[in-house]
Amino acid sequence: IDLYCSKYSIKKNRNHFFILQNVYNLITEKIYMKIQKKFEPITIGISASIIIGVLAFLSFETSTGFWLMFSFGSTTLIVLIFYESEFAQPSNIFFGHVLGIIVGILFNEFLGISFITLGLAVGSTVTLMMYLRVIHPPAAANPLIALFADVSLEYIIFPVISGAILIIIISVFINKFILKRDYPVRWF
């Protein structure tokens, strides 16, 4: 350690400090800089591709099970574009999808598929989502998926629960760190 302090060395060290502080401020400004509005649709489109791409990769390229279902496409759109809305919050995404698929499976198991059960299953799902306050519009399609595809109870785990959780995790990361948004507004 150099114990010798002259006016020059102190002034020199202060200048280094201010230079480092300015560099740090420039770096943090760039990191926390929000994406311009004109580039937001491109960024959101790429982000949606990433979310669905991860689910598709896990479905087709691994032996972990099936992670993807049709209503996840519109869930991705809602969570990236309408991220402040009530139906884009994590609890609505998770419980809305789980509720919708359970209602569809129950209708399929006990009543089978018909024009009556298709309508009643969707109507029941919408009613339950409203009473339980977990409204998530894409999940209203889940009973149709369950009835048309004749899915089993295992479908609740893969893809519904696993896919919904992964969508929530990735969308929180994208909204917070890439799009610089306050998402989620609430968890439950």
Side-chain angles (χ1 to χ4, degrees), residues 126-148:
V126 170
T127 302
L128 288 171
M129 282 195 289
M130 289 177 70
Y131 274 121
L132 298 173
R133 296 181 184 191
V134 290
I135 298 171
H136 184 63
N142 289 1
L144 299 176
I145 294 169
L147 285 159
F148 278 116

Side-chain angles (χ1 to χ4, degrees), residues 56 74 84 95 102 116 173 177 179 183:
S74 52
E84 291 178 324
F95 292 114
I102 288 173
I116 295 171
F173 178 80
F177 299 111
L179 299 172
Y183 177 83

Side-chain angles (χ1 to χ4, degrees), residues 37-106:
K37 280 286 187 197
K38 64 182 176 184
F39 296 120
E40 200 171 76
I42 295 168
T43 307
I44 289 172
I46 292 169
S47 299
S49 298
I50 290 169
I51 292 171
I52 297 300
V54 167
L55 292 171
F57 174 80
L58 291 170
S59 297
F60 296 120
E61 301 297 327
T62 67
S63 61
T64 56
F66 205 70
W67 294 70
L68 197 55
M69 65 182 200
F70 297 121
S71 56
F72 284 166
S74 52
T75 295
T76 302
L77 177 137
I78 285 173
V79 83
L80 293 173
I81 296 175
F82 303 109
Y83 63 95
E84 291 178 324
S85 70
E86 185 71 21
F87 46 81
Q89 303 311 306
S91 60
N92 291 43
I93 293 169
F94 181 81
F95 292 114
H97 277 295
V98 170
L99 178 67
I101 206 67
I102 288 173
V103 169
I105 289 171
L106 291 174

